[in-house]
Amino acid sequence: YSTYVEVEHWKEQEKTDVIDILIRVRDRNHKKIILGAQGDLIKKIGTKARGEIEKLLNKKIFLRTHLKISSIDQIMQYKPY
């Protein structure tokens, strides 16, 4: 299935950066898969991503993760060629 992750907002602060990311999926079933039962899969995704970003930046971050259903055309416009 098609997914795309984009950074919607990134606010740099002295101690902790705040980052909002949007995960775009193609249909409702894909959204259910990414959410997981009671939201546990998206929580795991966010926790793992936060840890990797913190290692790259050598700084604490607050990561807010959002999930949205988008058409394939909207998703494809973001894919690099």
Side-chain angles (χ1 to χ4, degrees), residues 7 23 37 40 61 80:
V7 176
I23 302 172
D40 28 332
I61 65 161

Side-chain angles (χ1 to χ4, degrees), residues 30-48:
H30 298 163
K31 183 175 180 178
K32 288 179 184 179
I33 292 168
I34 302 254
L35 277 174
Q38 298 177 358
D40 28 332
L41 184 56
I42 197 165
K43 183 177 180 180
K44 287 179 185 178
I45 291 168
T47 300
K48 184 170 172 79

Side-chain angles (χ1 to χ4, degrees), residues 2-73:
S2 296
T3 60
Y4 176 78
V5 179
E6 66 181 272
V7 176
E8 289 189 298
H9 179 77
W10 187 324
K11 183 176 182 184
E12 292 186 44
Q13 297 179 351
E14 189 175 322
K15 293 184 180 183
T16 305
D17 286 4
V18 178
I19 303 173
D20 290 308
I21 62 166
L22 174 63
I23 302 172
R24 292 182 182 268
V25 295
R26 198 167 147 197
D27 63 43
R28 183 169 288 149
N29 289 331
H30 298 163
K31 183 175 180 178
K32 288 179 184 179
I33 292 168
I34 302 254
L35 277 174
Q38 298 177 358
D40 28 332
L41 184 56
I42 197 165
K43 183 177 180 180
K44 287 179 185 178
I45 291 168
T47 300
K48 184 170 172 79
R50 187 187 74 238
E52 291 179 16
I53 295 168
E54 286 177 343
K55 284 181 188 176
L56 285 171
L57 299 177
N58 197 27
K59 184 178 190 177
K60 292 286 185 187
I61 65 161
F62 179 70
L63 185 65
R64 292 186 286 220
T65 307
H66 309 277
L67 188 57
K68 181 177 180 180
I69 299 170
S70 299
S71 71
I72 190 66
D73 292 335

